[in-house]
Structure formats: C-alpha cells, structure tokens
Amino acid sequence: MRVIASLRSVVSALFRRSAVENEIEEELRAHIQDRANDLERSGVPRAEAERRARLEFGGYQKFREECREAQGTHFLEALIQDLRFGLRMLRKSPGFTAVAVLTLALGIGANTAIFSFVDAVLLKPLPYPHPERIVSMWEKAPGFDYNPISTLNFLDWTRQNRCFQFLSVIVWDTMTLTSSDRPQQLNVWRVSASYFKVLGVGAALGRTFAPSEDEVGKDQEVVLSNRIWQSRFGGDPKVVGRKITLDAKSYTVIGVLPANSTFDRTWAVMWLPLAFTPANMTRNYHWLYALARLEPGVTLKQARDQMGAIGAGIAALYPESNKGWGITVEPYIDQVVDPQLRRSLWMLLAAVGAVLLIGCANLANLTLARGTDREHEIAIRSALGARRLRLIRQLLTENIFLGILGGVAGLALGDAWMRGIKLLFPPGMLPPEANVRMDHGVLLFTMVIGILTGILFGLAPALSGTRPDLARSLKEGGRTTAGLRPHRMRTALVVAEVALSFALLAGASLLIRSFNRLASLNPGVDTTNVLAMDLPMPLTEFTNSTTLTNYLREVTRKVRSMPGVRAVAITDKPPMEGFANGAPFLIEGGQYLRYSSRPVCGFKVVGPSYFDTVGMRLLKGRSLGESDAAETAPVTVINETMAK
C-alpha cells in the first residue's frame, strides 16, 4: 500500500505541476513569515528579520529542488526534459534521423522476424499441459537408436511398465473420404485410445476415444480436426454422431478438436482408433511410433532405467527377434524440433545479430561525426556547470529515443518479413506445435533490442563527446580541427564493422558454394517435364493382388492415352522422397543372421515402366517387365550402394 501511495503522489506531482509549485511557494512564504515573526519578537527590526529568514531558508529555487527530490519527481522531470530536448535535436537533423531510423529498422526488423521463429520453435514450451512429462519412445536396434516399434513389443511395454500414466502408439495413413459430391484423399493418424490423454487435450465438441475403442470391431469412430470440420462439414455443430465413409467403410464422428491448436497445423486432419489385427501380432514388423506421459513424480532417468530393464527382459525371452535390441526414451520436444532446424535457427539469429551490430557500428560512427558539430554546445554547458554524468545521460536519452523509433519501425518491417518467410517455408518444415506470430514476447524482445541498440551505439559517442577541450572549443567553436584529429574509437568501430562484415560474407559464400554443389549433383533421374500426382485408392476395395494389378494397369493405360503423355508409371513413393518401406534382409548363400541382427534396406514398389518414365539408367541387368507378376519368381532391382 505504501508503494502504491508513493506512486500516486509522484504521478499527481507530475500532472499537477503548477498547483504543486504554488503550494511549495505558499509553504515557503509561511515558513519565512513564521521565522521572521520569531526574530522580530526577539528584538530584530522587521525588514532585517525578513532578510535573515530568507537567507536561512536559502531562497525559493533551492527549496523547490529539495521538495522535488523529496517527492521523487526530480528524476522523472529531468527525463522528460531530456526527451523533449532530444526530440528537438533529432528534428533539427532530419537526414541523420532518417538514416539512423532506417538502419535500425533493417537490423531490428531482421532480428524480430528470426526471433519470432526461434521463440515459437525453440523457446516456448509445447502447447500441452505439463509438456515436460511427455516423452517419445522408440526401439533401439543395433547401431540405430530410433527404430519403429513392433506390435508385441509395444504390448509388453504397456503391461510391464509402472512409470507411465498413459502410453500410446501412432501410425500415419491415408484414407479416401467419399460423399455425394466428390472423393477426397485425406491424411489421417491411427492412434491408441489414450493418445489424447497423453497430450492432455480434449475435444471442443463431442469427445475423444474411450479406452475400449481401439479394439477390433469397436474402432469405427473418428475425431475431426477443427480445420476439416470447417472446410468439409461447414462447421456444423450437429456433426457429432454423423456417419461418414472412409475407404468404403462407415465411421461415426465422435468429436471435433479445438480451433487454432496444434491439430489444425498437423499433417493429419482426422484421428482413428488403432486396432491390432491378428496379422499385426508379430515382433518382426516394426511400424509403430510411441508417445507416453510420465507418472507424476517419475523422472526421465527413472523411466529410462525401467524401460531399459523391460527391453533387456524381452531380448532375453525372444532372442531371435530382439537380441541386442533396447528401448530409447527421449523428451518429446527433442522429437518435435529437428536438430538441423534447431541449428539453422540459431545460426540465422546469430547472422542477423551480426547485421544489427554492423548497423550499430555505423550509427556510432555517424554519432561521433555528429558530435563534432555539437562540441561547442557541450563545451558551453560544461563551462556553465553541467556535470559530465548529466551530459552523458542527456546524450544517451537522445540515442535511446532514436533506438525506440527504430524498434517501432523494425517491428512493422519484422512482421512483414516473418509472414514472407512463413510463405517460403515448405510444408512440414516447422513443427505443428510452433505457432509463429507476433505475440507479447516478440514485442518485448523488439523493444528491449531497440533500447539496447540505442545504448550500444550511443554510449561510446556520449563518453567521448563529454570530454571537450573547453579552451579550444570555446575559442574555435569546435569546428576547425576536431574532424582532423585522429580518433581511436572511430578506428576501432571501423575495424569491428569490417571484421563482422567479413565473417558474414565468408558464411554467405560457404552457403552459396554448398548450394551450388548440391544443385550440380546428378540425382540419377531426369525430372524434366515429369509430373507426379496422388491416386486416391482405398485398398479395401480390392479382394486380391490380381484385382489391384488390373486396376493400376487400367489407370496407367488411360493416362498414357492422353495427348502429350509419353510414359506413365506407378510407384508408392516418387524419386527423391526416400523409401516407402523397409525390411531386414539376408543374402542367399551368405552367413545366416538372427532376424534381430540383420541389416535393413529401404525399398519401393513400382510399376514396370518406372525406370523409363523417370529416366533412371541401369548399370547392369534388366528392368522390371509386365511378365513380373505375383505368380512368377520374385525379382527386384537394387542400387549400386546395395550391390557394393
């Protein structure tokens, strides 16, 4: 309460300045009159008594200053005076002000734009309740710490662990939504019933999955993202309970997730229960990804130790599939943010920080040069009794005000750059948990940077400019020889500026060189005039492989018959996008290895014309042909690395 009362008195004194001044004068007159009356009663003549009383109190001006300091308004009044004087000086030098604000706006804007990404991706916690308790889990294969999980191993983890409150697995999938207007292929996630409990998220409309809804026969429910609820279902509040058709099967909508959340920025637009069929019950097919929420009070180390013991027990019981395998437990944030993205963002922030430092060095030199024009002014103020600390504060206030103006301009520029960079980023580069925007944290960062830059480029000129040669400055006006004198500070600033510029140029040159080398690499395929398109195709509509093969042949034939089409191919993954599948392998006639110790290779399933369509050259052997069907001997084409 005392602090509040003190603040109120200071504010009142500032806004009622004339009234307060009158009160001070009246109080001083009353004190002088009382003292004069006392002296007059002691025998001193009236005129002499009043003169002595005024001398004892020291005059009106001294009494006013003492009262202001007692009220706490002296510093604020001086600050306001410095700001007004600084604004007048900046208005008198519009060219310098424009250059300084533009320089600061460019540097601060770049820092603001990049910091908005750093803040959203690296600094903010994940947008879930108690995100530090969410972990990701993988199987640890020999020589590889992050391997997908097999079904039976995951079920053993679920039964044996005592460190997780909830444990869930995830599988990425695509499904075709069919309705009266048009079919649409959608990205979906199949998840355990506890998935949303792991993340601590509930539905905004309806509900999420019940514990038994990830069992076979009970898995015909679906949860919608708010994005597809708005775009495909028109935001209908009665969507809960509606039947929809996915891959020719009927599903019931049971919930809609919150708007403007992580789930509106993810790859998937629907969530379905993951029910394990008898065909999934194996330890040799690794296809699951796991998330878990730690029990309250359980540390990450305790979870790692317990899961390590569980993994060792499974390996001992099932050596053919699990010998040498373990379990990896990591904080979920480490999976969300790719290490390469983390390094890139920090490097970008360091680069734009160097750009800002170069701008500060430029402005410091400009301010030093401008200080020669003000040397006569500073000398006169010093000669009149102004203390050096007061002069430094005046010059710093002026430069800080300039930094704030640059920060405001940089904020607008940074917001535009941030939006432009977001448009340039390819889909999926930023984690969905990162909501990049200009929030209060970024605004605070921008204002702090503006003030700090004002201090940074203004401190050296303020320290240098407040040590004038009074005799020479007053005699010569501070204009004839100041610019000719060597200035070590200017030299140091120029050296620092050149050094930072060379560092940035060297880094940019290395990046350009790396990009040119990547662009000149031969990818092994000819992508000229080659188009790729997705084919919505619910596999449940095909009863056997022959039916599926005939359907794909018919699609290929119709596309090939279109004017301008020279070749058509079918593949489950285009070139340059990695592999769609992976499996351990053995070389016939070579050393026998347990399944758990076999090397793994990725592979794609392609049509016979794939190599000709993408312009891929064979080194040896033949390409795939129409005669390579299900009833014939299995064949494959391998790359040179596999052959070696």
Side-chain angles (χ1 to χ4, degrees), residues 58-379:
Y60 286 102
Q61 189 61 36
K62 181 181 177 182
F63 189 74
R64 284 198 195 99
E65 294 294 329
E66 291 176 352
C67 290
R68 287 171 186 163
E69 291 180 1
Q71 291 174 341
T73 62
H74 182 71
F75 174 78
L76 291 177
E77 287 181 358
L79 179 61
I80 293 173
Q81 290 174 0
D82 289 345
L83 286 174
R84 289 175 177 171
F85 182 76
L87 182 59
R88 288 198 301 270
M89 295 303 296
L90 293 178
R91 289 175 60 185
K92 288 173 64 177
S93 305
F96 169 79
T97 303
V99 170
V101 171
L102 180 60
T103 302
L104 289 174
L106 292 173
I108 295 176
N111 278 269
T112 299
I114 300 302
F115 179 78
S116 63
F117 288 90
V118 172
D119 181 51
V121 177
L122 304 180
L123 301 183
K124 285 185 178 176
L126 296 176
Y128 308 116
H130 303 289
E132 71 282 355
R133 288 170 49 196
I134 305 176
V135 298
S136 58
M137 302 197 347
W138 309 77
E139 289 203 78
K140 185 188 297 184
F144 191 66
D145 290 342
Y146 303 96
N147 198 78
I149 308 160
S150 67
T151 304
L152 292 181
N153 287 346
F154 168 73
L155 294 176
D156 284 343
W157 298 0
T158 303
R159 287 190 293 266
Q160 297 178 32
N161 91 85
R162 297 294 180 270
C163 54
F164 300 126
Q165 189 176 13
F166 303 106
L167 180 59
S168 172
V169 286
I170 310 165
V171 174
W172 289 264
D173 199 359
T174 58
M175 303 185 77
T176 301
L177 173 65
T178 54
S179 59
S180 57
D181 50 357
R182 59 182 174 85
Q184 182 182 2
Q185 188 178 43
L186 303 174
N187 299 318
V188 303
W189 279 356
R190 296 183 180 272
V191 298
S192 303
S194 59
Y195 171 76
F196 294 104
K197 293 182 179 179
V198 169
L199 298 179
V201 176
L205 191 65
R207 63 177 178 85
T208 57
F209 302 125
S212 62
E213 287 178 342
D214 54 3
E215 300 174 4
V216 177
K218 302 179 182 179
D219 57 341
Q220 302 302 114
E221 287 84 18
V222 61
V223 174
L224 307 178
S225 70
N226 197 279
R227 178 179 46 166
I228 197 169
W229 176 53
Q230 296 288 347
S231 62
R232 184 75 183 194
F233 300 93
D236 182 9
K238 298 181 180 178
V239 71
V240 175
R242 180 188 297 185
K243 300 287 185 180
I244 62 174
T245 303
L246 297 171
D247 283 1
K249 288 186 178 180
S250 178
Y251 288 80
T252 303
V253 177
I254 63 170
V256 178
L257 295 174
N260 301 319
S261 66
T262 298
F263 303 101
D264 276 345
R265 298 185 292 271
T266 57
W267 174 80
V269 296
M270 290 185 181
W271 285 258
L272 291 81
L274 175 60
F276 297 130
T277 63
N280 302 140
M281 298 301 179
T282 176
R283 297 187 190 274
N284 292 332
Y285 179 47
H286 300 265
W287 61 303
L288 304 172
Y289 301 87
L291 290 180
R293 178 173 285 272
L294 295 171
E295 288 278 5
V298 175
T299 65
L300 181 63
K301 183 181 183 305
Q302 291 172 334
R304 284 173 172 167
D305 293 342
Q306 187 178 132
M307 295 308 296
I310 292 174
I314 295 174
L317 287 174
Y318 309 100
E320 179 64 26
S321 60
N322 286 77
K323 184 176 177 59
W325 287 56
I327 302 173
T328 298
V329 182
E330 297 289 348
Y332 183 47
I333 183 64
D334 292 345
Q335 178 185 336
V336 168
V337 182
D338 181 72
Q340 185 175 356
L341 176 62
R342 186 186 299 271
R343 287 193 299 270
S344 299
L345 288 176
W346 284 124
M347 288 178 62
L348 280 174
L349 189 62
V352 296
V355 171
L356 182 60
L357 288 177
I358 292 173
C360 287
N362 266 322
L363 287 180
N365 272 321
L366 287 175
T367 308
L368 282 170
R370 183 168 174 256
T372 60
D373 294 334
R374 302 182 64 179
E375 189 174 346
H376 188 62
E377 169 205 335
I378 298 297

Side-chain angles (χ1 to χ4, degrees), residues 19 26 40 55 91 111 131 148 227 248 270 310 323 339-340 345 361 387 405 467 511 513 586 602 638:
E26 290 178 2
E40 187 179 12
L55 289 175
R91 289 175 60 185
N111 278 269
R227 178 179 46 166
M270 290 185 181
I310 292 174
K323 184 176 177 59
Q340 185 175 356
L345 288 176
R387 291 176 296 176
L405 292 178
R467 285 182 175 176
L511 285 175
R513 181 183 177 187
L586 279 179
I638 64 174

Side-chain angles (χ1 to χ4, degrees), residues 30-70:
H31 284 300
I32 291 175
Q33 291 299 321
D34 290 343
R35 179 58 179 159
N37 292 336
D38 293 339
L39 291 173
E40 187 179 12
R41 283 193 292 269
S42 64
V44 179
R46 183 64 189 179
E48 179 66 17
E50 290 182 354
R51 187 184 71 82
R52 289 186 185 181
R54 283 195 295 271
L55 289 175
E56 287 182 10
F57 280 95
Y60 286 102
Q61 189 61 36
K62 181 181 177 182
F63 189 74
R64 284 198 195 99
E65 294 294 329
E66 291 176 352
C67 290
R68 287 171 186 163
E69 291 180 1

